Amino acid sequence: MPLFEPNYLNLEYFFNLIYQWLKNAHLWPLPPALIFWAKIILLGLGIFFGVLVIVLTVKIAKLRKEELRNFLSLTQADKEETSANRKRWEKVLAYLETDNQSDWKQAIIEADNMLDEMVKAMRYPGENLGERLKNIEPSDFVTLQDAWEAHKVRNQIAHESGFSLTRREARRVMELYEKVFTEFNFI
């Protein structure tokens, strides 16, 4: 273990070492013709890199402008899509206001269809919603358990002929769907 460990970098020392080495290599004084051509080459390189910086700066500015234009158009499209999804969601919620159990079941089935569309749009693979939910990483989807719980109720409605649903349970399931949709600004 060394006795002295410097905690700084002395660049002046390294430049001095390089200078001393060049001085001792008997390269000084350089011939004037070599200095002239070195200046010409360095001037050419300076102009080349200066022009390169300007060209790249202009191209980057154009790309940023195009990216902003695309972002704004996507944002507008997202707002329109969210608005359409919000209207659809409000229609689904209207089913809960009736006293008919089949309307409540229909609300859950419609909400599950909306969830399936959202997950498909997120490009998760799978033949159906259940398979797509299995392919989602829990870290990518905070409300994944809520989506599963709501989807299981939907499956009970669809596959169990005598499944009974209370208004309270229907509202709870719809709240689960709403949490999921809110997480991704779907409604």
Side-chain angles (χ1 to χ4, degrees):
M1 184 165 150
L3 296 173
F4 174 74
E5 293 184 27
N7 58 0
Y8 61 90
L9 179 63
N10 188 350
L11 291 177
E12 187 177 339
Y13 172 74
F14 289 111
F15 285 123
N16 188 34
L17 285 178
I18 293 169
Y19 172 75
Q20 293 298 327
W21 180 80
L22 289 173
K23 186 176 173 185
N24 293 335
H26 303 291
L27 296 175
W28 302 104
L30 292 174
L34 184 62
I35 292 175
F36 172 76
W37 285 109
K39 285 181 181 179
I40 297 294
I41 291 171
L42 290 175
L43 179 64
L45 285 173
I47 291 172
F48 171 76
F49 285 115
V51 169
L52 185 66
V53 165
I54 291 169
V55 168
L56 291 177
T57 302
V58 169
K59 285 188 177 190
I60 288 172
K62 284 181 182 177
L63 285 173
R64 283 188 178 170
K65 190 182 289 185
E66 184 179 330
E67 187 178 76
L68 180 62
R69 197 175 308 122
N70 290 340
F71 174 74
L72 291 176
S73 68
L74 286 175
T75 303
Q76 183 64 28
D78 284 348
K79 284 182 185 177
E80 291 169 3
E81 187 177 321
T82 302
S83 176
N85 290 335
R86 185 70 191 165
K87 288 178 184 174
R88 185 175 171 196
W89 178 248
E90 288 170 1
K91 287 180 184 176
V92 170
L93 288 179
Y95 286 122
L96 293 179
E97 301 306 319
T98 69
D99 291 329
N100 189 350
Q101 187 182 70
S102 64
D103 286 342
W104 306 338
K105 291 178 180 180
Q106 184 64 33
I108 291 172
I109 290 170
E110 286 294 320
D112 200 69
N113 290 339
M114 289 177 68
L115 177 61
D116 190 30
E117 290 172 15
M118 183 186 84
V119 174
K120 275 183 193 173
M122 296 166 77
R123 299 182 189 225
Y124 285 105
E127 291 290 318
N128 55 43
L129 180 58
E131 288 181 16
R132 283 187 273 280
L133 289 175
K134 286 179 186 176
N135 289 320
I136 296 174
E137 281 291 321
S139 60
D140 295 341
F141 206 113
V142 175
T143 55
L144 182 61
Q145 289 305 316
D146 294 329
W148 266 115
E149 190 175 339
H151 181 64
K152 286 177 185 175
V153 173
R154 180 262 174 211
N155 282 344
Q156 287 178 320
I157 292 169
H159 301 294
E160 295 177 16
S161 60
F163 182 73
S164 180
L165 183 67
T166 64
R167 180 181 292 222
R168 184 176 189 175
E169 177 67 4
R171 287 187 190 277
R172 186 188 72 78
V173 171
M174 293 303 283
E175 287 172 3
L176 294 174
Y177 281 115
E178 189 168 15
K179 276 188 201 176
V180 175
F181 296 148
T182 304
E183 176 185 357
F184 295 101
N185 296 320
F186 189 70
I187 56 171

